[in-house]
Each structure stands twice: as C-alpha cells, then as structure tokens.
Amino acid sequence: YYSVISPEGCAAILWKDETRVPEAAEALKLTAKNLTELGLIDDVVPEPLGGAHRDPSFVYKSLADKIDEHLEELSQLDWGTLPDRRREKFRRIGALEGRFPVI
C-alpha cells in the first residue's frame, strides 16, 4: 500500500496517543477491508489472533491455500490478457473515480 505516514506516526502526531493507532489506520484507509475495497490488494491471508508469529504453521497453510486459489484462477485465463489486466489495475490506483480520467 501507499501511505505518506504509518498509523503509529499518524496517531502520535494527531492525538499524541498510541492507543488510537487502529483509528488512524482506519482514517488512512490502511485496513485490509479498505485496501480490498480500493482494489489495492487482491485478497487477505487470515492469521491467528495476536499475529502470524503465534501460529506459523497456520499462516503457512493459509498462505499456501491463497496462492493455490489464485494460481488456479489465473491458470484459467488467457495468458495474453494478464499484462493488460495488471496494467489497468495499477492505472486505477490513485484515480478519483468520476472526477478525473485515467490516462
């Protein structure tokens, strides 16, 4: 994702309160949900409560499953269209829908 500041830095500057990091992440649109809605990420890999380091085996399996899922999906496509799809995806990043044309 692209951001000029981390949620931690944002919370420190705006509120001088590290407990407001989740609020800053939401305001910066840096949550997994936001990034998915904005089209910046394709999927979210689930992790255990408390972080990936709590159960590495679960994370490895989750990641492998997501990779397999997406490779299966991509393998069904015409390989000639993949570069065009990728180009269009990245051209949409940062575009304000309906306000400015994507060049």
Side-chain angles (χ1 to χ4, degrees):
Y1 61 84
Y2 304 99
S3 180
V4 296
I5 194 166
S6 69
E8 294 81 7
C10 181
I13 291 169
L14 291 181
W15 303 297
K16 298 183 184 1
D17 183 354
E18 66 186 36
T19 65
R20 296 184 74 177
V21 169
E23 184 179 348
E26 183 67 39
L28 291 167
K29 303 287 189 207
L30 297 181
T31 65
K33 179 182 177 217
N34 294 140
L35 295 173
T36 302
E37 289 171 353
L38 291 169
L40 295 176
I41 61 174
D42 297 317
D43 211 339
V44 178
V45 177
E47 66 178 4
L49 187 61
H53 65 285
R54 301 277 182 170
D55 189 352
S57 295
F58 173 82
V59 176
Y60 300 150
K61 170 105 173 68
S62 296
L63 185 57
D65 289 347
K66 287 293 183 182
I67 290 171
D68 287 345
E69 176 185 326
H70 286 280
L71 284 176
E72 176 65 29
E73 178 185 327
L74 291 171
S75 70
Q76 303 301 314
L77 299 175
D78 171 27
W79 286 96
T81 64
L82 289 176
D84 292 335
R85 285 180 57 171
R86 182 176 297 125
R87 187 177 310 104
E88 285 306 311
K89 175 183 178 177
F90 284 101
R91 290 178 73 146
R92 285 191 305 269
I93 293 173
L96 299 175
E97 193 170 314
R99 299 210 36 214
F100 300 99
V102 177
I103 300 172

XYZ file of all heavy atoms in Angstrom:
819
model
N 0.834 -1.174 0.000
C 0.000 0.000 0.000
C 0.873 1.230 0.000
O 2.051 1.179 0.313
C -0.972 -0.012 1.183
C -0.305 -0.019 2.545
C 0.111 1.160 3.118
C -0.103 -1.210 3.240
C 0.714 1.172 4.355
C 0.494 -1.198 4.480
C 0.904 -0.006 5.032
O 1.497 -0.002 6.252
N 0.278 2.325 -0.374
C 0.989 3.582 -0.438
C 0.468 4.493 0.676
O -0.733 4.686 0.807
C 0.742 4.266 -1.784
C 1.110 3.398 -2.947
C 0.151 2.686 -3.649
C 2.436 3.278 -3.346
C 0.487 1.880 -4.724
C 2.792 2.479 -4.411
C 1.811 1.791 -5.095
O 2.159 0.999 -6.161
N 1.369 5.024 1.455
C 0.962 5.942 2.507
C 2.122 6.873 2.825
O 3.284 6.468 2.771
C 0.559 5.173 3.768
O 0.166 6.070 4.785
N 1.797 8.093 3.151
C 2.847 9.054 3.496
C 3.247 8.946 4.955
O 4.249 9.531 5.367
C 2.414 10.508 3.175
C 2.199 10.679 1.683
C 1.166 10.880 3.958
N 2.466 8.195 5.733
C 2.756 8.053 7.157
C 2.184 6.730 7.658
O 1.192 6.229 7.116
C 2.173 9.241 7.967
C 2.753 9.288 9.384
C 0.657 9.215 7.966
C 2.476 10.599 10.105
N 2.789 6.190 8.669
C 2.287 4.960 9.274
C 1.146 5.307 10.225
O 1.038 6.449 10.698
C 3.398 4.260 10.056
O 3.734 5.025 11.203
N 0.285 4.336 10.537
C -0.769 4.602 11.519
C -0.188 5.039 12.872
O -0.751 5.911 13.541
C -1.498 3.267 11.642
C -1.221 2.556 10.370
C 0.153 3.005 9.950
N 0.950 4.463 13.247
C 1.582 4.838 14.515
C 2.029 6.296 14.498
O 1.809 7.041 15.459
C 2.785 3.913 14.789
C 2.431 2.471 15.030
C 2.180 1.659 13.754
O 2.398 2.172 12.628
O 1.759 0.503 13.891
N 2.653 6.702 13.391
C 3.079 8.087 13.261
C 1.909 9.043 13.233
O 1.949 10.117 13.844
N 0.851 8.649 12.532
C -0.353 9.475 12.444
C -0.977 9.677 13.825
O -1.294 10.799 14.207
C -1.349 8.829 11.493
S -2.874 9.747 11.276
N -1.137 8.599 14.579
C -1.732 8.690 15.921
C -0.864 9.545 16.836
O -1.377 10.337 17.632
C -1.925 7.292 16.505
N 0.446 9.410 16.705
C 1.357 10.188 17.548
C 1.262 11.682 17.245
O 1.249 12.509 18.158
C 2.794 9.699 17.358
N 1.175 12.018 15.956
C 1.124 13.430 15.574
C -0.241 14.048 15.872
O -0.339 15.120 16.458
C 1.474 13.607 14.082
C 2.957 13.287 13.871
C 1.152 15.022 13.598
C 3.363 13.164 12.418
N -1.305 13.361 15.465
C -2.638 13.944 15.616
C -3.148 13.951 17.052
O -3.749 14.927 17.498
C -3.647 13.202 14.738
C -3.496 13.372 13.241
C -4.580 12.584 12.511
C -3.566 14.840 12.857
N -2.938 12.838 17.754
C -3.559 12.699 19.072
C -2.567 12.501 20.211
O -2.955 12.468 21.364
C -4.546 11.526 19.051
C -5.596 11.675 18.016
C -6.550 12.652 17.953
C -5.815 10.840 16.878
N -7.341 12.471 16.841
C -6.920 11.356 16.164
C -5.199 9.698 16.390
C -7.409 10.770 15.007
C -5.682 9.118 15.232
C -6.770 9.659 14.564
N -1.288 12.299 19.858
C -0.274 12.001 20.870
C -0.741 10.866 21.781
O -0.588 10.894 22.993
C 0.064 13.251 21.691
C 0.643 14.360 20.838
C 1.040 15.550 21.632
C 1.529 16.712 20.840
N 1.594 16.688 19.434
N -1.323 9.833 21.106
C -1.939 8.728 21.842
C -1.782 7.440 21.046
O -2.464 7.235 20.038
C -3.416 9.044 22.068
C -4.149 8.010 22.888
O -3.559 6.957 23.204
O -5.327 8.253 23.204
N -0.898 6.566 21.501
C -0.633 5.319 20.770
C -1.818 4.357 20.776
O -1.883 3.464 19.944
C 0.601 4.625 21.325
C 0.436 4.135 22.748
C 1.721 3.578 23.321
O 2.794 4.112 23.012
O 1.630 2.604 24.079
N -2.776 4.558 21.664
C -3.948 3.671 21.673
C -4.883 3.955 20.507
O -5.795 3.175 20.244
C -4.742 3.805 22.990
O -5.303 5.120 23.085
C -3.862 3.518 24.199
N -4.658 5.047 19.784
C -5.532 5.410 18.668
C -4.990 4.963 17.312
O -5.478 5.391 16.268
C -5.793 6.909 18.692
C -6.566 7.285 19.985
C -6.950 8.697 20.056
N -8.051 8.994 19.149
C -8.617 10.190 19.070
N -8.204 11.174 19.828
N -9.597 10.403 18.215
N -3.992 4.074 17.336
C -3.416 3.546 16.094
C -4.485 2.896 15.211
O -4.526 3.153 14.002
C -2.240 2.590 16.385
C -1.821 1.836 15.133
C -1.061 3.366 16.959
N -5.385 2.045 15.761
C -6.424 1.471 14.894
C -7.303 2.540 14.227
O -7.671 2.413 13.060
C -7.245 0.598 15.840
C -6.309 0.250 16.944
C -5.449 1.481 17.115
N -7.615 3.595 14.957
C -8.416 4.694 14.401
C -7.647 5.397 13.276
O -8.224 5.751 12.240
C -8.752 5.678 15.518
C -9.657 6.802 15.114
C -9.977 7.733 16.268
O -9.700 7.414 17.434
O -10.510 8.814 15.974
N -6.355 5.574 13.480
C -5.526 6.197 12.452
C -5.462 5.314 11.207
O -5.560 5.807 10.081
C -4.122 6.463 12.992
N -5.310 4.005 11.404
C -5.275 3.078 10.261
C -6.572 3.149 9.477
O -6.571 3.141 8.243
C -5.006 1.657 10.740
N -7.682 3.232 10.177
C -8.990 3.338 9.506
C -9.083 4.661 8.750
O -9.534 4.698 7.603
C -10.119 3.219 10.535
C -11.501 3.232 9.952
C -11.810 2.013 9.098
O -11.401 0.904 9.453
O -12.495 2.190 8.056
N -8.657 5.750 9.366
C -8.715 7.067 8.717
C -7.815 7.118 7.487
O -8.154 7.758 6.489
C -8.320 8.155 9.712
N -6.677 6.434 7.563
C -5.737 6.411 6.431
C -6.143 5.398 5.366
O -5.497 5.298 4.324
C -4.321 6.075 6.936
C -3.650 7.142 7.787
C -2.416 6.572 8.470
C -3.290 8.350 6.934
N -7.204 4.661 5.641
C -7.692 3.614 4.725
C -6.644 2.521 4.536
O -6.399 2.067 3.427
C -8.088 4.202 3.357
C -9.124 5.290 3.438
C -10.462 4.714 3.756
C -11.535 5.780 3.625
N -12.661 5.520 4.458
N -6.029 2.097 5.643
C -4.977 1.097 5.582
C -5.401 -0.261 6.127
O -4.567 -1.147 6.263
C -3.743 1.582 6.357
C -3.081 2.838 5.814
C -1.861 3.195 6.646
C -2.689 2.667 4.372
N -6.684 -0.425 6.433
C -7.122 -1.728 6.913
C -7.259 -2.679 5.722
O -7.365 -2.249 4.569
C -8.474 -1.636 7.642
O -9.477 -1.242 6.701
C -8.419 -0.630 8.797
N -7.242 -3.973 5.997
C -7.393 -4.964 4.929
C -8.694 -4.734 4.166
O -8.729 -4.827 2.934
C -7.342 -6.368 5.512
N -9.746 -4.414 4.886
C -11.042 -4.158 4.251
C -10.944 -2.961 3.297
O -11.399 -3.024 2.157
C -12.109 -3.905 5.313
C -13.471 -3.606 4.750
C -14.474 -3.322 5.860
C -15.800 -2.967 5.234
N -16.533 -1.958 5.917
N -10.338 -1.864 3.769
C -10.183 -0.670 2.932
C -9.353 -0.963 1.695
O -9.711 -0.561 0.588
C -9.495 0.459 3.700
C -10.283 1.006 4.855
O -9.708 1.295 5.900
N -11.585 1.162 4.708
N -8.222 -1.637 1.882
C -7.326 -1.911 0.765
C -7.981 -2.812 -0.273
O -7.753 -2.653 -1.474
C -6.019 -2.514 1.279
C -5.179 -1.579 2.154
C -3.997 -2.326 2.749
C -4.718 -0.367 1.372
N -8.829 -3.739 0.186
C -9.576 -4.590 -0.740
C -10.587 -3.755 -1.517
O -10.687 -3.861 -2.743
C -10.288 -5.732 0.010
O -9.313 -6.493 0.730
C -11.029 -6.636 -0.941
N -11.346 -2.917 -0.805
C -12.352 -2.074 -1.455
C -11.728 -1.112 -2.462
O -12.321 -0.822 -3.492
C -13.137 -1.284 -0.397
C -14.064 -2.144 0.426
C -14.669 -1.405 1.614
O -14.273 -0.249 1.892
O -15.536 -2.010 2.273
N -10.535 -0.625 -2.161
C -9.848 0.302 -3.060
C -9.184 -0.410 -4.235
O -8.671 0.229 -5.144
C -8.796 1.099 -2.287
C -9.343 2.109 -1.276
C -8.219 2.632 -0.389
C -10.057 3.249 -1.988
N -9.173 -1.739 -4.203
C -8.577 -2.502 -5.286
C -7.059 -2.553 -5.233
O -6.410 -2.899 -6.212
N -6.482 -2.213 -4.079
C -5.029 -2.227 -3.953
C -4.483 -3.609 -3.639
O -3.328 -3.891 -3.915
C -4.582 -1.247 -2.871
C -4.869 0.218 -3.173
C -4.477 1.088 -1.995
C -4.126 0.663 -4.416
N -5.316 -4.438 -3.035
C -4.906 -5.810 -2.754
C -5.955 -6.752 -3.328
O -7.112 -6.373 -3.517
C -4.694 -6.072 -1.247
C -5.986 -5.850 -0.445
C -3.570 -5.198 -0.710
C -5.872 -6.226 1.007
N -5.539 -7.965 -3.614
C -6.439 -8.941 -4.217
C -7.132 -9.817 -3.186
O -8.221 -10.322 -3.433
C -5.673 -9.832 -5.190
C -5.100 -9.031 -6.348
O -5.826 -8.164 -6.875
O -3.943 -9.257 -6.707
N -6.499 -10.026 -2.048
C -7.059 -10.924 -1.048
C -6.365 -10.683 0.281
O -5.341 -10.000 0.340
C -6.857 -12.380 -1.479
C -7.956 -13.302 -0.998
O -8.656 -12.950 -0.022
O -8.119 -14.369 -1.591
N -6.923 -11.261 1.327
C -6.364 -11.154 2.663
C -6.075 -12.556 3.162
O -6.936 -13.434 3.081
C -7.355 -10.451 3.622
C -6.797 -10.388 5.033
C -7.696 -9.057 3.109
N -4.862 -12.760 3.643
C -4.486 -14.058 4.201
C -4.814 -14.029 5.688
O -4.317 -13.170 6.422
C -2.978 -14.339 4.002
C -2.583 -15.657 4.638
C -2.627 -14.312 2.527
N -5.676 -14.954 6.127
C -6.032 -14.948 7.555
C -4.831 -15.294 8.424
O -3.959 -16.057 8.019
C -7.112 -16.020 7.669
C -7.062 -16.814 6.430
C -6.347 -16.022 5.396
N -4.785 -14.685 9.602
C -3.731 -15.008 10.551
C -4.354 -15.169 11.932
O -5.444 -14.672 12.187
C -2.635 -13.942 10.555
C -3.049 -12.598 11.046
C -1.895 -11.594 11.065
O -0.781 -11.926 10.625
O -2.109 -10.491 11.527
N -3.653 -15.852 12.810
C -4.206 -16.068 14.142
C -4.285 -14.771 14.943
O -3.534 -13.829 14.673
C -3.234 -17.055 14.793
C -1.993 -16.998 13.977
C -2.362 -16.495 12.622
N -5.177 -14.752 15.911
C -5.313 -13.606 16.794
C -3.968 -13.334 17.464
O -3.328 -14.252 17.960
C -6.385 -13.880 17.852
C -6.764 -12.719 18.749
C -7.326 -11.566 17.913
C -7.793 -13.156 19.777
N -3.527 -12.103 17.401
C -2.255 -11.744 18.012
C -1.101 -11.722 17.035
O -0.003 -11.307 17.376
N -1.308 -12.197 15.813
C -0.262 -12.120 14.807
C 0.224 -13.457 14.305
O 0.012 -14.496 14.934
N 0.879 -13.407 13.172
C 1.338 -14.618 12.484
C 2.330 -15.420 13.312
O 2.376 -16.642 13.212
C 1.962 -14.234 11.146
N 3.112 -14.758 14.126
C 4.125 -15.457 14.919
C 3.518 -16.386 15.970
O 4.190 -17.259 16.493
C 5.052 -14.446 15.598
C 4.359 -13.592 16.606
N 3.516 -12.562 16.231
C 4.367 -13.629 17.954
C 3.035 -11.989 17.332
N 3.529 -12.605 18.383
N 2.237 -16.219 16.264
C 1.567 -17.068 17.271
C 1.365 -18.493 16.778
O 1.326 -19.420 17.576
C 0.209 -16.479 17.644
C 0.241 -15.101 18.203
C 0.534 -15.131 19.652
N 0.504 -13.772 20.155
C 0.530 -13.483 21.423
N 0.573 -14.435 22.304
N 0.528 -12.229 21.788
N 1.169 -18.656 15.459
C 0.938 -19.993 14.905
C 1.459 -20.033 13.473
O 0.693 -19.974 12.512
C -0.552 -20.326 14.958
C -0.871 -21.759 14.600
O 0.042 -22.499 14.161
O -2.045 -22.152 14.763
N 2.782 -20.120 13.310
C 3.366 -20.095 11.964
C 2.807 -21.173 11.041
O 2.595 -20.916 9.856
C 4.862 -20.305 12.209
C 5.087 -19.876 13.613
C 3.813 -20.196 14.343
N 2.541 -22.361 11.547
C 2.014 -23.441 10.695
C 0.675 -23.045 10.085
O 0.415 -23.316 8.915
C 1.859 -24.734 11.493
O 3.114 -25.194 11.912
N -0.178 -22.421 10.869
C -1.474 -21.961 10.373
C -1.267 -20.926 9.255
O -1.944 -20.972 8.222
C -2.303 -21.344 11.515
C -3.577 -20.706 11.055
C -4.707 -21.472 10.821
C -3.647 -19.337 10.847
C -5.886 -20.880 10.387
C -4.823 -18.738 10.410
C -5.941 -19.516 10.191
N -0.339 -20.021 9.476
C -0.083 -18.965 8.489
C 0.483 -19.559 7.211
O 0.064 -19.187 6.112
C 0.851 -17.885 9.067
C 1.193 -16.836 8.009
C 0.193 -17.223 10.259
N 1.426 -20.495 7.334
C 1.998 -21.126 6.137
C 0.908 -21.813 5.330
O 0.859 -21.717 4.114
C 3.072 -22.138 6.508
C 4.244 -21.565 7.268
C 4.941 -22.346 8.171
C 4.655 -20.240 7.104
C 6.022 -21.841 8.883
C 5.729 -19.729 7.811
C 6.411 -20.531 8.699
O 7.473 -20.033 9.397
N 0.015 -22.521 6.014
C -1.082 -23.228 5.336
C -2.037 -22.222 4.696
O -2.459 -22.400 3.551
C -1.829 -24.125 6.317
C -3.112 -24.724 5.787
C -2.936 -26.174 5.455
C -4.220 -26.865 5.089
N -4.816 -26.443 3.843
N -2.380 -21.166 5.430
C -3.279 -20.140 4.894
C -2.685 -19.493 3.649
O -3.392 -19.284 2.655
C -3.544 -19.051 5.942
O -4.212 -19.574 7.052
N -1.411 -19.181 3.704
C -0.752 -18.554 2.568
C -0.700 -19.500 1.372
O -1.008 -19.104 0.241
C 0.657 -18.103 2.952
C 1.438 -17.330 1.911
C 0.682 -16.084 1.460
C 2.805 -16.956 2.459
N -0.357 -20.757 1.627
C -0.315 -21.748 0.545
C -1.688 -21.907 -0.093
O -1.809 -21.997 -1.320
C 0.192 -23.086 1.070
N -2.729 -21.936 0.742
C -4.093 -22.074 0.219
C -4.469 -20.891 -0.670
O -5.074 -21.064 -1.733
C -5.108 -22.207 1.364
C -5.014 -23.536 2.088
O -4.347 -24.474 1.578
O -5.598 -23.644 3.188
N -4.120 -19.672 -0.227
C -4.434 -18.474 -1.024
C -3.664 -18.474 -2.343
O -4.202 -18.122 -3.391
C -4.129 -17.192 -0.241
C -5.104 -16.904 0.861
C -6.470 -16.577 0.325
C -7.411 -16.215 1.453
N -8.762 -15.948 0.966
N -2.394 -18.860 -2.286
C -1.598 -18.911 -3.509
C -2.190 -19.926 -4.477
O -2.360 -19.644 -5.664
C -0.119 -19.235 -3.189
C 0.518 -18.034 -2.487
C 0.645 -19.588 -4.462
C 1.899 -18.313 -1.927
N -2.531 -21.108 -3.964
C -3.148 -22.136 -4.808
C -4.456 -21.636 -5.422
O -4.714 -21.842 -6.606
C -3.414 -23.411 -4.005
C -2.151 -24.185 -3.678
O -1.101 -23.923 -4.291
O -2.230 -25.053 -2.785
N -5.269 -20.974 -4.600
C -6.560 -20.451 -5.067
C -6.362 -19.463 -6.218
O -7.027 -19.552 -7.249
C -7.265 -19.773 -3.892
C -8.570 -19.103 -4.219
C -9.123 -18.359 -3.006
O -8.938 -18.814 -1.859
O -9.733 -17.301 -3.236
N -5.436 -18.543 -6.051
C -5.228 -17.523 -7.075
C -4.523 -18.081 -8.307
O -4.822 -17.667 -9.429
C -4.501 -16.319 -6.489
C -5.389 -15.502 -5.611
N -6.295 -14.605 -6.102
C -5.547 -15.492 -4.263
C -6.966 -14.052 -5.113
N -6.529 -14.577 -3.975
N -3.606 -19.014 -8.112
C -2.961 -19.639 -9.273
C -3.973 -20.429 -10.095
O -3.924 -20.417 -11.325
C -1.808 -20.539 -8.833
C -0.531 -19.826 -8.425
C 0.502 -20.828 -7.916
C 0.033 -19.011 -9.574
N -4.902 -21.094 -9.403
C -5.956 -21.831 -10.108
C -6.804 -20.866 -10.934
O -7.093 -21.119 -12.105
C -6.836 -22.586 -9.108
C -8.006 -23.303 -9.722
C -7.603 -24.440 -10.654
O -6.530 -25.035 -10.451
O -8.362 -24.705 -11.602
N -7.183 -19.757 -10.333
C -7.980 -18.743 -11.031
C -7.219 -18.180 -12.233
O -7.754 -18.065 -13.330
C -8.335 -17.621 -10.056
C -9.114 -16.482 -10.655
C -9.324 -15.351 -9.661
O -9.447 -15.615 -8.449
O -9.346 -14.197 -10.122
N -5.958 -17.829 -12.010
C -5.157 -17.245 -13.088
C -4.872 -18.240 -14.203
O -4.791 -17.857 -15.372
C -3.845 -16.698 -12.529
C -3.970 -15.463 -11.636
C -2.642 -15.142 -10.979
C -4.487 -14.277 -12.418
N -4.736 -19.499 -13.852
C -4.428 -20.505 -14.877
C -5.598 -20.720 -15.832
O -5.406 -21.248 -16.920
C -4.020 -21.830 -14.229
O -5.129 -22.445 -13.606
N -6.791 -20.274 -15.459
C -7.965 -20.394 -16.320
C -8.056 -19.255 -17.338
O -8.864 -19.309 -18.258
C -9.254 -20.414 -15.476
C -9.308 -21.502 -14.421
C -9.193 -22.893 -15.004
O -9.851 -23.213 -15.981
N -8.328 -23.707 -14.420
N -7.241 -18.235 -17.151
C -7.300 -17.063 -18.018
C -6.371 -17.204 -19.214
O -5.390 -17.937 -19.169
C -6.904 -15.813 -17.228
C -7.784 -15.455 -16.042
C -7.178 -14.274 -15.299
C -9.200 -15.153 -16.473
N -6.677 -16.444 -20.236
C -5.799 -16.337 -21.397
C -4.571 -15.539 -20.965
O -4.678 -14.397 -20.520
C -6.543 -15.613 -22.528
C -5.644 -15.258 -23.688
O -4.625 -15.949 -23.897
O -5.972 -14.282 -24.378
N -3.400 -16.159 -21.073
C -2.180 -15.527 -20.585
C -1.885 -14.216 -21.287
O -1.209 -13.352 -20.730
C -0.997 -16.489 -20.702
C -1.085 -17.542 -19.665
C -1.605 -18.790 -19.811
C -0.694 -17.443 -18.296
N -1.554 -19.479 -18.621
C -0.998 -18.664 -17.671
C -0.126 -16.431 -17.537
C -0.744 -18.904 -16.331
C 0.134 -16.676 -16.193
C -0.172 -17.904 -15.610
N -2.388 -14.034 -22.479
C -2.164 -12.777 -23.190
C -2.868 -11.599 -22.549
O -2.475 -10.454 -22.756
N -3.916 -11.853 -21.769
C -4.665 -10.758 -21.147
C -4.100 -10.333 -19.792
O -4.446 -9.270 -19.299
C -6.144 -11.139 -20.946
O -6.225 -12.220 -20.020
C -6.801 -11.524 -22.250
N -3.246 -11.151 -19.194
C -2.745 -10.838 -17.852
C -1.973 -9.523 -17.779
O -2.209 -8.729 -16.861
C -1.903 -11.990 -17.306
C -2.712 -13.230 -16.940
C -1.774 -14.344 -16.493
C -3.733 -12.929 -15.875
N -1.064 -9.242 -18.718
C -0.371 -7.944 -18.633
C -1.337 -6.759 -18.736
O -1.178 -5.772 -18.025
C 0.596 -7.970 -19.817
C 0.816 -9.423 -20.089
C -0.499 -10.083 -19.774
N -2.355 -6.873 -19.578
C -3.340 -5.788 -19.706
C -4.125 -5.608 -18.420
O -4.372 -4.484 -17.987
C -4.300 -6.067 -20.869
C -3.611 -5.999 -22.219
O -2.577 -5.312 -22.327
O -4.105 -6.652 -23.158
N -4.528 -6.710 -17.791
C -5.254 -6.630 -16.521
C -4.401 -5.980 -15.443
O -4.876 -5.146 -14.681
C -5.691 -8.022 -16.055
C -6.867 -8.571 -16.838
C -7.255 -9.920 -16.355
N -7.566 -9.899 -14.922
C -8.098 -10.911 -14.266
N -8.393 -12.021 -14.892
N -8.341 -10.833 -12.986
N -3.137 -6.375 -15.380
C -2.230 -5.807 -14.379
C -2.042 -4.318 -14.620
O -2.084 -3.508 -13.703
C -0.887 -6.527 -14.415
C 0.080 -6.021 -13.357
C 1.371 -6.797 -13.317
N 1.112 -8.177 -12.954
C 1.503 -9.223 -13.687
N 2.173 -9.045 -14.807
N 1.233 -10.450 -13.303
N -1.833 -3.937 -15.875
C -1.647 -2.530 -16.215
C -2.877 -1.716 -15.816
O -2.754 -0.650 -15.201
C -1.379 -2.382 -17.714
C -1.007 -0.974 -18.131
C -0.676 -0.850 -19.627
N 0.279 -1.836 -20.096
C -0.055 -2.930 -20.832
N -1.293 -3.155 -21.170
N 0.876 -3.780 -21.216
N -4.061 -2.200 -16.132
C -5.288 -1.486 -15.784
C -5.460 -1.364 -14.276
O -5.885 -0.324 -13.775
C -6.507 -2.169 -16.405
C -6.639 -1.923 -17.886
C -6.637 -0.444 -18.246
O -7.392 0.340 -17.621
O -5.873 -0.056 -19.144
N -5.132 -2.431 -13.561
C -5.243 -2.390 -12.099
C -4.372 -1.272 -11.534
O -4.826 -0.471 -10.717
C -4.823 -3.728 -11.497
C -4.807 -3.709 -9.989
C -4.323 -5.019 -9.411
C -4.286 -4.922 -7.901
N -3.895 -6.170 -7.276
N -3.123 -1.193 -11.965
C -2.220 -0.194 -11.426
C -2.535 1.208 -11.929
O -2.265 2.187 -11.237
C -0.768 -0.587 -11.691
C -0.316 -1.683 -10.769
C -0.260 -2.988 -11.212
C -0.007 -1.419 -9.448
C 0.122 -4.009 -10.355
C 0.373 -2.425 -8.583
C 0.442 -3.728 -9.041
N -3.146 1.324 -13.071
C -3.548 2.649 -13.563
C -4.705 3.211 -12.757
O -4.860 4.430 -12.652
C -3.904 2.586 -15.037
C -2.662 2.364 -15.914
C -3.059 2.271 -17.326
N -3.419 3.630 -17.754
C -3.217 4.094 -18.954
N -2.664 3.328 -19.868
N -3.566 5.302 -19.273
N -5.525 2.333 -12.183
C -6.660 2.786 -11.366
C -6.226 3.269 -9.983
O -6.955 4.004 -9.331
C -7.675 1.664 -11.213
C -8.508 1.423 -12.446
C -9.678 0.492 -12.164
N -9.259 -0.770 -11.593
C -8.957 -1.876 -12.282
N -9.046 -1.864 -13.591
N -8.595 -2.978 -11.676
N -5.056 2.855 -9.525
C -4.592 3.257 -8.198
C -4.409 4.770 -8.160
O -3.711 5.350 -8.974
C -3.279 2.540 -7.823
C -3.539 1.047 -7.657
C -2.680 3.130 -6.548
C -2.295 0.217 -7.443
N -5.051 5.385 -7.227
C -4.936 6.829 -7.061
C -5.891 7.635 -7.906
O -6.004 8.836 -7.717
N -6.589 6.998 -8.833
C -7.548 7.731 -9.663
C -8.792 8.030 -8.841
O -9.274 7.190 -8.096
C -7.914 6.914 -10.896
N -9.281 9.224 -8.959
C -10.512 9.601 -8.279
C -11.655 9.320 -9.232
O -11.866 10.047 -10.198
C -10.480 11.076 -7.874
C -9.357 11.447 -6.904
C -9.340 12.950 -6.671
C -9.509 10.703 -5.602
N -12.364 8.245 -8.948
C -13.405 7.769 -9.841
C -14.420 8.865 -10.155
O -14.969 9.500 -9.260
C -14.119 6.583 -9.208
C -15.001 5.836 -10.170
C -15.501 4.541 -9.579
O -14.710 3.814 -8.996
O -16.700 4.325 -9.711
N -14.628 9.083 -11.447
C -15.627 10.039 -11.882
C -15.153 11.484 -11.899
O -15.828 12.346 -12.413
N -14.004 11.774 -11.305
C -13.551 13.157 -11.238
C -12.482 13.472 -12.274
O -12.429 14.568 -12.807
C -13.014 13.473 -9.846
C -14.107 13.285 -8.815
C -14.059 14.127 -7.607
N -13.596 15.475 -7.755
C -12.906 16.094 -6.817
N -12.594 15.471 -5.705
N -12.517 17.336 -6.987
N -11.620 12.513 -12.533
C -10.547 12.709 -13.490
C -10.430 11.459 -14.348
O -10.563 10.360 -13.854
C -9.214 12.940 -12.773
C -9.223 14.137 -11.881
C -9.422 13.985 -10.509
C -9.048 15.413 -12.391
C -9.436 15.082 -9.671
C -9.056 16.508 -11.552
C -9.259 16.357 -10.186
N -10.150 11.634 -15.623
C -9.981 10.443 -16.472
C -8.676 9.732 -16.152
O -7.698 10.361 -15.765
C -9.946 11.020 -17.888
C -9.467 12.428 -17.709
C -9.988 12.876 -16.354
N -8.683 8.422 -16.297
C -7.461 7.639 -16.152
C -6.758 7.688 -17.482
O -7.317 7.287 -18.493
C -7.771 6.196 -15.721
C -6.485 5.387 -15.660
C -8.514 6.172 -14.406
N -5.563 8.192 -17.507
C -4.821 8.376 -18.767
C -3.920 7.180 -19.012
O -3.301 6.658 -18.173
C -4.012 9.671 -18.740
C -4.962 10.853 -18.555
C -3.200 9.828 -19.996
C -4.269 12.167 -18.324
